[in-house]
Amino acid sequence: MENDYILVRQTSQLQGSVRVSGAKNSVLKLMAASILIPGVTRLSNVPDIADVRLMQQVLEALGVEVSWPASDSVQMDATNLTSHKAPYELVVRMRASTAVLGPLAARAGAATVALPGGCAIGARKVDMHISGLEALGAQCKIEHGYIEVAVPETGLQGAEVMLEFPSVGATENLIMAAVGAQGTTVIINAAREPEIADLIDFLISAGVTIKGRGTTRLEIEGVQTSKLTTEVEHKVVGDRIEAGTFLVAGALVGGPITVEGFNPEHLAVVLKKLREAGAELEINTDSATITREGAIKATTIQTLPYPGFPTDMQAQFMALMSVAEGASVITENVYENRFMFADEIARMGADIRIEGHHALVKGVAQLSGAPVVSPDLRGGAALVLAGLVANGETQIAGVHHIDRGYEQFCEKLRSLGARIERFS
Ligand code: EPZ
């Protein structure tokens, strides 16, 4: 609920194990990809989070029948699309709705999707999505606040598309559009995030030929979508960002905690930085156990596209560095404006100076609990983590941001021993 708040009290120990949910940044795209399937898609390991419920509404507006056979599985039946318009009132609440652009262009030959506009963390432009679709022969225009995509009678044509920046969203939209193009599409400088590999696995299981998974060069063989499998099942990959968030909690408070249900390889640089910060890690195929005995050590990070340090872990790491011994520099290279968290944790006594896209964090001996507001999804989660090591109580408002991407966040932390409660 909009006015809910979370109360965190200083927590002396976290222990036990916690299982992460399926990845928000994969399931939203897999749900959009169900538009390509002339039948039924069943996804398992689905997080019941606000953004998934929003994507459900977007799909229902297009005529996709969506149901929940179980609390962690969702079914989409896209046999009969009735519209190709994703309404403003939904897109403005969730930028990821733009992921329907590519599949609609491929399956329906047209798409009308509200412009997402900027958000708290940056401009969030869509120019590469549009220029990519145009390279495949679509006519695109922005009118009355909507992106209008029209595919000529001759259909989309496979082409070579060079991305100026390995944008996650543009790569995903182009892969899905290319599925419905004639011939081969080659995407150069494609994004390599594990969530993109999950989308590729889904499309391959639906009958699409895609080469280059996990690399910057992707080759997609177009196929008439009517020829795709009419029933597809897929298990959503574990959420590496949720896992990283819990691992930082373990590094902050001390652990040992075990985080399960994700692939630690997807967090390689984060694990390296956690070790540099003084934590010890035991890694298994789908879990990691973290402990920390000595002091938290200052270390420097810079956010980059995968496999670099994920921008979605930047705020959580800033919380860790705010109580480290020494000074660290955090550089945000992906978004223009993702340091609003710093203003909030400064209210808890953190010593952070922002210079453009660099943050100089001087560790302090102790944070103090205070009333703070979640600036965005990851900033909100990081404030909860900071509250675990702040003396007294930390009251966090704006928790609807956290609900967008973390399933049962408070319950999972409480199961590890965190002193945390949520109030309506
Ligand atoms: C995805 O956003 C994630 N969201 C983000 O996670 C994540 O931060 C981001 O990838 C980077 O890893 C989802 O998957 C739903 P981008 P996306 O296109 O696709 C610029 C979270 O906390 N750009 O790689 O929007 C853009 O402005 C969220 O879970 C253009 O300039 O990311 C941004 O600065 C936050 N033109 C940068 O690229 C374009 O056409 C990265 O954007 C496209 C992007």
Side-chain angles (χ1 to χ4, degrees), residues 40-68:
V40 173
T41 296
R42 280 189 209 87
L43 300 176
S44 57
N45 198 28
V46 172
D48 190 354
I49 52 178
D51 277 11
V52 165
R53 295 289 174 171
L54 262 172
M55 185 56 90
Q56 171 172 356
Q57 291 178 53
V58 172
L59 294 179
E60 286 166 345
L62 302 171
V64 180
E65 286 167 26
V66 183
S67 56
W68 290 71

Side-chain angles (χ1 to χ4, degrees), residues 78-415:
T79 308
N80 304 310
L81 296 180
T82 55
S83 166
H84 58 255
K85 182 170 184 178
Y88 172 78
E89 54 279 6
L90 292 176
V91 177
V92 78
R93 290 166 55 198
M94 179 179 68
R95 177 196 160 75
S97 316
T98 52
V100 301
L101 266 174
L104 280 172
R107 173 93 189 277
T112 303
V113 176
L115 262 177
C119 79
I121 61 179
R124 314 293 299 264
K125 292 183 286 185
V126 290
D127 53 318
M128 288 186 256
H129 300 238
I130 291 171
S131 54
L133 286 169
E134 287 172 339
L136 300 186
Q139 281 125 23
C140 303
K141 61 182 183 202
I142 309 266
E143 220 164 54
H144 307 302
Y146 279 82
I147 307 163
E148 299 274 359
V149 176
V151 174
E153 285 293 310
T154 47
L156 293 170
Q157 304 298 321
E160 186 170 284
V161 183
M162 158 79 81
L163 291 179
E164 285 164 37
F165 177 88
S167 152
V168 171
T171 301
E172 291 162 335
N173 253 326
L174 293 177
I175 293 171
M176 294 190 275
V179 168
Q182 278 144 51
T184 306
T185 296
V186 178
I187 304 176
I188 297 168
N189 195 26
R192 291 178 275 170
E193 273 66 5
E195 294 77 26
I196 292 178
D198 205 31
L199 174 65
I200 290 173
D201 293 345
F202 170 82
L203 294 170
I204 290 174
S205 69
V208 184
T209 304
I210 303 180
K211 297 193 188 106
R213 178 187 186 280
T215 75
T216 58
R217 183 191 164 86
L218 296 174
E219 285 188 28
I220 302 101
E221 294 297 329
V223 54
Q224 278 179 319
T225 54
S226 58
K227 296 228 167 65
L228 292 175
T229 322
T230 55
E231 273 205 57
V232 192
E233 306 240 349
H234 184 83
K235 180 181 179 195
V236 181
V237 70
D239 195 319
R240 63 191 168 107
I241 304 298
E242 184 190 0
T245 304
F246 287 123
L247 289 171
V248 169
L252 268 170
V253 179
I257 64 168
T258 299
V259 182
E260 301 163 334
F262 76 109
N263 178 345
E265 282 168 25
H266 294 167
L267 272 184
V269 176
V270 173
L271 301 182
K272 177 176 180 291
K273 288 293 168 183
L274 284 169
R275 286 194 171 105
E276 282 178 17
E280 270 147 53
L281 283 153
E282 190 197 311
I283 307 296
N284 294 306
T285 44
D286 78 338
S287 73
T289 300
I290 189 163
T291 47
R292 179 188 54 77
E293 257 133 45
I296 299 170
K297 297 183 209 137
T299 181
T300 284
I301 61 162
Q302 58 161 332
T303 68
L304 288 166
Y306 190 86
F309 190 97
T311 171
D312 298 347
M313 281 299 301
Q314 181 250 96
Q316 299 92 317
F317 227 79
M318 190 182 276
L320 183 65
M321 291 298 104
S322 70
V323 288
E325 274 189 359
S328 54
V329 176
I330 295 181
T331 303
E332 175 55 57
N333 292 311
V334 177
Y335 291 108
E336 312 90 328
N337 183 30
R338 204 169 199 180
F339 283 145
M340 294 155 311
F341 164 75
D343 303 335
E344 287 304 310
I345 196 171
R347 297 173 48 76
M348 301 172 72
D351 180 350
I352 301 171
R353 209 174 70 226
I354 307 293
E355 297 282 345
H357 63 144
H358 301 290
L360 174 64
V361 185
K362 289 194 189 137
V364 296
Q366 173 73 68
L367 292 174
S368 60
V372 289
V373 180
S374 310
D376 58 65
L377 165 60
R378 306 303 172 183
L383 286 170
V384 170
L385 300 188
L388 294 172
V389 291
N391 64 28
E393 295 182 347
T394 300
Q395 186 166 327
I396 300 146
V399 297
H400 59 282
H401 287 292
I402 299 173
D403 293 340
R404 297 191 53 179
Y406 290 92
E407 186 179 33
Q408 299 185 338
F409 192 46
C410 295
E411 292 81 352
K412 288 185 181 181
L413 279 169
R414 201 177 308 120
S415 75

Side-chain angles (χ1 to χ4, degrees), residues 7-26:
L7 197 66
V8 188
R9 293 189 180 84
Q10 187 166 19
T11 297
S12 55
Q13 186 172 28
L14 290 179
Q15 61 184 357
S17 63
V18 62
R19 175 164 285 278
V20 300
S21 305
K24 168 183 83 79
N25 291 346
S26 179

